[in-house]
Amino acid sequence: MAPTSPASNWRKSSFSQGADNCVEVGRAARSGAAVRDTKDRAAGYFTTTSSQWSAFLGALKAGRFDK
């Protein structure tokens, strides 16, 4: 699904210094977040609602995606 509104304020994690295989997160025009591949920015991005993004971050912090 193509985004319906532009995203802005893209940033890459400070943990990815010197790496180019990362994702960038931006602010979606409406509340929420936008995510894109650092290596292929022209490929586009996907957006989430603020509640989806909060749930994802909570799962990350809780270690639900750890190997």
Side-chain angles (χ1 to χ4, degrees), residues 24-43:
E24 294 176 315
V25 178
R27 182 171 302 279
R30 297 181 185 178
S31 66
V35 181
R36 68 181 178 189
D37 184 347
T38 301
K39 294 179 298 194
D40 192 5
R41 292 178 179 121

Side-chain angles (χ1 to χ4, degrees), residues 4-67:
T4 57
S5 56
S8 60
N9 299 325
W10 292 102
R11 60 195 178 280
K12 191 164 78 166
S13 171
S14 60
F15 289 104
S16 61
Q17 293 175 354
D20 63 353
N21 56 344
C22 304
V23 296
E24 294 176 315
V25 178
R27 182 171 302 279
R30 297 181 185 178
S31 66
V35 181
R36 68 181 178 189
D37 184 347
T38 301
K39 294 179 298 194
D40 192 5
R41 292 178 179 121
Y45 56 91
F46 69 88
T47 59
T48 68
T49 65
S50 58
S51 60
Q52 290 169 329
W53 188 246
S54 293
F56 174 68
L57 293 179
L60 281 175
K61 291 175 184 177
R64 288 190 45 208
F65 304 112
D66 293 349
K67 292 182 180 180

